[in-house]
């Protein structure tokens, strides 16, 4: 358990982050009384049906608190956007921060950034390192069937999540956890951990173990297609790992139907993709090993519905063969 620490000696912090996970940490640092003279976040991205530019959750929070923002496309002085990098460098030099706190920022920090603050750059990473270095540690932990994960507060270096560990907190992965539910608990845990870390007069630095290194590669939309030849347990974990993004889909009557929740039926069997049962509120599909009761689905353009409503809209499924979604 992590105590709800408060900073006894407030610091000047540059905060770098983009999604909701990072916004939780920024909110906690502000609540702890730290000064945040500069916030770095990703440029606004198009989102929603209208594909209008939307600010990141970190930007929205920073604007609420009247914080100074910078949204460089890169921090590499010799990269594709050197003007952005030079402007960010000038802003960082001006604020004279004690430390930079980084959480799911999305840009690589070059060495000049790592060397700038006296206390360096601290990263809030959503796994117990060295397991699941990389972009999608929450998704991959659920997909792999891990029993637990956590947060590592890390002293950043030039490698990919290879820096020394300062603090570690553990969090159990529940059997029904989705990426969304586990994300929220880890975001809160990370927020508490970084406040505690900054409140400590000194933190021992621990080298990451050389063994047990795994990489959490970025989630790609192509992974959303269900492969019924895989074991039911693997598919069920992937459903939870890919909720809310990108979801998992199968083909039915030429359309990609999303499957959000399912329950294991280990004793049932049949040809992979065969609908074994379809009626009385039950839709069971055979997998490569075992079967799944499909519980929550979504047709194109619709909303998530339970299996009973889906069967009313799609009768006559018993004995049919479900296919791979084409996209």
């Amino acid at each position: 358990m992590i105590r709800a620490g408060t900073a006894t000696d407030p610091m000047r912090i540059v905060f770098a982050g983009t999604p909701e996970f990072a916004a939780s940490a920024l909110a906690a640092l502000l609540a702890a009384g730290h000064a945040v003279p500069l916030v770095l976040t990703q440029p606004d991205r198009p989102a929603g049906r209208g594909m209008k530019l939307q600010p990141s959750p970190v930007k929205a929070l920073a604007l609420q608190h009247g914080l100074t923002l910078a949204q460089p496309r890169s921090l590499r002085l010799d990269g594709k956007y050197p003007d952005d990098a030079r402007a960010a460098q000038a802003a960082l030099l001006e604020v004279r921060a004690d430390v930079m706190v980084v959480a799911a920022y999305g840009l690589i920090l070059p060495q000049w950034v790592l060397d700038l603050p006296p206390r360096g750059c601290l990263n809030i990473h959503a796994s117990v390192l060295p397991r699941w270095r990389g972009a999608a540690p929450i998704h991959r932990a659920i997909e792999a069937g891990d029993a637990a994960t956590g947060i590592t507060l890390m002293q950043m270096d030039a490698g990919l999540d290879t820096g020394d560990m300062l603090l570690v907190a553990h969090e159990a992965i529940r059997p029904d956890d989705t990426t969304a539910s586990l994300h929220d608990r880890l975001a809160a845990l990370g927020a508490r951990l970084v406040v505690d870390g900054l409140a400590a007069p000194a933190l021992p630095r621990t080298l990451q173990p050389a063994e047990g290194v795994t990489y959490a590669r970025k989630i790609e939309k192509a992974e959303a297609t269900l492969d019924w030849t895989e074991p039911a347990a693997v598919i069920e974990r992937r459903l939870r790992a890919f909720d809310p993004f990108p979801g998992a889909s199968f083909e039915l009557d030429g359309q990609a139907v999303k499957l959000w929740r399912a329950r294991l039926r280990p004793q049932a069997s049949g040809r992979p993709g065969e609908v074994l049962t379809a009626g009385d509120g039950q839709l069971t599909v055979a997998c490569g090993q075992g079967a799944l009761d499909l519980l929550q689905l979504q047709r194109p353009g619709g909303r998530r519905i339970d299996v009973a409503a889906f069967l009313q809209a799609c009768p006559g499924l018993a004995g049919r063969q479900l296919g791979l979604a084409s996209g």
Side-chain angles (χ1 to χ4, degrees):
M1 295 295 292
I2 300 299
R3 62 183 173 83
T6 57
T8 56
D9 187 15
M11 295 184 187
R12 290 177 60 79
I13 298 170
V14 169
F15 186 86
T18 300
E20 288 288 351
F21 180 87
S24 297
L26 176 57
L29 293 170
L30 293 171
H34 293 292
V36 183
L38 179 63
V39 172
L40 303 180
T41 192
Q42 287 270 357
D44 296 1
R45 307 292 189 197
R49 291 188 176 181
M51 296 301 288
K52 295 181 180 179
L53 289 178
Q54 299 290 332
S56 72
V58 163
K59 179 177 179 178
L61 181 62
L63 291 174
Q64 290 175 19
H65 289 270
L67 305 179
T68 300
L69 275 163
Q71 295 178 269
R73 290 167 291 180
S74 171
L75 293 170
R76 289 184 54 186
L77 296 171
D78 59 350
K80 186 177 180 180
Y81 304 105
D83 291 346
D84 284 29
R86 283 193 291 268
Q89 184 181 46
L92 287 166
L93 288 169
E94 182 180 357
V95 298
R96 298 180 180 274
D98 300 305
V99 66
M100 177 184 282
V101 173
V102 182
Y105 179 31
L107 289 184
I108 295 174
L109 301 190
Q111 194 64 47
W112 72 262
V113 178
L114 297 174
D115 293 340
L116 192 59
R119 289 192 59 173
C121 300
L122 309 184
N123 179 247
I124 308 167
H125 186 76
S127 78
V128 177
L129 292 168
R131 187 162 177 79
W132 302 129
R133 295 173 178 171
I138 301 176
H139 304 74
R140 298 306 181 189
I142 293 175
E143 184 184 22
D146 291 0
T149 183
I151 293 288
T152 302
L153 185 64
M154 176 186 64
Q155 189 80 45
M156 296 180 71
D157 62 16
L160 176 63
D161 298 328
T162 56
D164 293 349
M165 300 183 295
L166 304 176
L167 288 174
V168 174
H170 297 267
E171 177 69 27
I173 299 178
R174 300 167 185 168
D176 60 347
D177 261 330
T178 64
T179 287
S181 63
L182 183 57
H183 165 280
D184 290 351
R185 298 203 306 280
L186 290 176
L189 185 60
R192 296 197 298 272
L193 200 69
V194 72
V195 169
D196 282 352
L198 293 177
L203 290 172
R205 295 173 58 154
T206 303
L207 288 172
Q208 292 188 32
E211 298 181 353
V213 175
T214 59
Y215 290 92
R217 69 186 187 281
K218 181 181 178 182
I219 302 297
E220 303 289 349
K221 286 187 177 180
E223 298 180 68
T225 299
L226 287 174
D227 181 356
W228 298 108
T229 66
E230 291 187 310
V234 171
I235 296 175
E236 191 275 335
R237 293 198 304 266
R238 188 166 295 130
L239 298 181
R240 294 185 287 109
F242 291 3
D243 184 356
F245 175 85
S249 302
F250 62 89
E251 188 273 333
L252 177 64
D253 295 332
Q255 293 185 319
V257 176
K258 284 196 172 184
L259 175 60
W260 292 107
R261 285 199 305 116
R263 178 175 56 235
L264 295 176
R265 287 286 299 277
Q267 304 306 318
S269 63
R271 289 177 294 116
E274 178 186 2
V275 178
L276 303 177
T277 305
D280 296 326
Q282 183 174 330
L283 178 57
T284 306
V285 179
C287 304
Q289 181 179 339
L292 289 172
D293 287 335
L294 312 191
L295 302 178
Q296 188 182 65
L297 304 99
Q298 183 178 9
R299 299 174 71 189
R303 57 182 179 83
R304 300 189 190 194
I305 56 176
D306 65 24
V307 65
F310 182 81
L311 288 171
Q312 285 184 342
C314 300
L317 292 180
R320 291 188 59 179
Q321 188 77 17
L322 303 182
L324 303 179
S326 58

